Every structure is written in structure tokens, then in C-alpha cells.
Amino acid sequence: MEPLDRPVWTSLTTLHAGLALGDALAKCYLPEVNRFASARDDSDEALAALAVLVRPANLVFVLQMPEIRIPPGLVASKTAKGVQMVAAASLAAEAGPDEVLSLGDADAPEMLALATLTQPGPFLRQTHRMGQFVGIRIDGRLAAMAGERFRFPGHTEVSGVCTHPDFRGRGLAGRLSRHVAASIAARGDTAFLHAWKTNTAAIRLYEKLGFRLRCEVNVAVLQCEAGLA
């Protein structure tokens, strides 16, 4: 199994170990950081350990290349196909009329508000702790942002790419995606990302930026069966 085949597990057992809960069989992110979780493999023991991490009132996202086996006691409220794309070459940052700014703790409320509005994927009040985030402000407002999510030696994911509806059509998402990917390449890592298989517009944008399809991935949102009663 390649590290990219189970990027959540690889991240939680390496560079994101400090953001993880769980044991040697299954792990999840701290509840204030993200909703992703992963079993080590598809053994009965690992799947049982994954089920233990899912609290009755919560849900978790599983993302991996292998087909997802649902642990006993859990149900999938959503399943979908995605694609995993990898940068085919080092990307250079692109100049533009608006300055690209580093985002941090002071920007967290605005980042959460923008992500909640645009739904780029699970984004919570401390998701920005997963990596470096950048944004563009227009007239003082956070118009767009992008950052890093799953990280492990040699690879970093571009994620959290979103633009406020008031500022779409200006190429901000592409510019910020390129900026993050260029920063990843500058430190010697390979950039990768995920998109829904049905999101053809996003896939075309990432192909224009220099990303190439690596594989399809499976995504499931899991919750306790008892929580549906």
C-alpha cells in the first residue's frame, strides 16, 4: 500500500501525530481540528477500533483508495467517489493585483465563516492548524483562501480552496492553489489534492495548474447506527 492510498492514516501517524486521537489500529483528528478518521487497514480489529472513535452525536469522514468497509455498529450517511491528483511538476507562484497574505489564529473566525459559506470540505475552528494557509483580502474582506491539509514526509495536500461568491470570476482560487503548491514544492515536497469526481470544473482547473490524475478515491461519512434511532 502506497502512503497516498490512505492519506489520512499516513498523516495521522507521521506529521500530524500531534493532532491525532486513537491507537495503533485506528486514528482520528482532534474534534476541533477535523472530522477525518482512518483505520490502519481493513482487518476486523482495525475496523472495530475505528468504530470506537465515532461518538454517538458525531460523524467522521473516511477517504482512501481501497473500497471502504463499514465497521459493525456504524452506518454510512453518504458515500461518493473522488479523484486524487498529484502535481506533475514544480509550480511557480503567479503574480496578481492583490497581495497573497499568510493567515493564522487571528484570521480563524473569518476562515471558518468563509469555509462554512462555500463548503470546500470539512473545516472547523482549528482546521488551520493542519498546515499553512494563505488568503486574499479585498476591501478588508477575506475574499478567498487556500491551504494545506494532509501532510506526511514527501507530500502535502492542497486543500481548503474557496472563494466568497462576491469575488468569484477573478481567478483567485487558481492563483491561491498555485501559490500553495509552489510553497510545497519549494520545501521539497510533492503537492497533491482531492476533488469530487463529479466536480469537472475543479478538475479542469487543477489540470491547467499542472496536476494529473493519480487514482480514484472512495469517501464515506460514517456515524453510529444507534445515533439514527
Side-chain angles (χ1 to χ4, degrees), residues 117-118 162-172:
L117 175 66
T118 57
C162 53
T163 303
H164 193 284
D166 291 349
F167 302 102
R168 288 176 180 162
R170 305 189 188 190
L172 301 182

Side-chain angles (χ1 to χ4, degrees), residues 94-202:
E94 185 178 65
D98 304 298
E99 183 182 3
V100 175
L101 305 169
S102 295
L103 302 177
D105 289 344
D107 306 290
E110 287 179 281
M111 297 168 71
L112 178 59
L114 180 59
T116 300
L117 175 66
T118 57
Q119 296 295 313
F123 198 99
L124 308 177
R125 60 187 179 87
Q126 292 191 28
T127 296
H128 65 283
R129 293 174 57 192
M130 298 180 76
Q132 299 176 9
F133 277 81
V134 294
I136 291 175
R137 290 187 177 278
I138 299 176
D139 297 330
R141 300 168 61 191
L142 184 60
M145 70 175 184
E148 301 171 352
R149 189 167 63 181
F150 306 134
R151 298 171 58 220
F152 44 91
H155 290 83
T156 301
E157 183 192 23
V158 179
S159 185
V161 181
C162 53
T163 303
H164 193 284
D166 291 349
F167 302 102
R168 288 176 180 162
R170 305 189 188 190
L172 301 182
R175 183 179 167 207
L176 289 176
S177 296
R178 182 184 289 274
H179 184 97
V180 173
S183 297
I184 291 169
R187 62 173 186 257
D189 283 357
T190 298
F192 70 103
L193 53 80
H194 296 97
W196 297 115
K197 185 178 178 180
T198 55
N199 193 348
T200 55

Side-chain angles (χ1 to χ4, degrees), residues 10-125:
T10 311
S11 298
L12 287 168
T13 55
T14 56
L15 299 184
H16 280 168
L19 303 177
L21 296 174
D23 57 24
L25 292 172
K27 294 183 183 292
C28 66
Y29 279 95
L30 295 170
E32 64 272 21
V33 172
N34 218 310
R35 301 191 189 279
F36 283 94
S38 179
R40 180 191 65 190
D41 51 41
D42 292 324
S43 66
D44 291 342
E45 296 81 6
L47 293 175
L50 176 61
V52 170
L53 295 175
V54 184
R55 300 173 184 174
N58 291 347
L59 51 82
V60 300
F61 285 68
V62 175
L63 183 157
Q64 60 188 46
M65 187 190 74
E67 289 292 330
I68 296 172
R69 288 184 58 200
I70 301 174
L74 301 184
V75 295
S77 59
K78 177 180 180 179
T79 59
K81 288 283 188 179
V83 296
Q84 183 182 88
M85 306 180 74
V86 177
S90 296
L91 304 178
E94 185 178 65
D98 304 298
E99 183 182 3
V100 175
L101 305 169
S102 295
L103 302 177
D105 289 344
D107 306 290
E110 287 179 281
M111 297 168 71
L112 178 59
L114 180 59
T116 300
L117 175 66
T118 57
Q119 296 295 313
F123 198 99
L124 308 177
R125 60 187 179 87

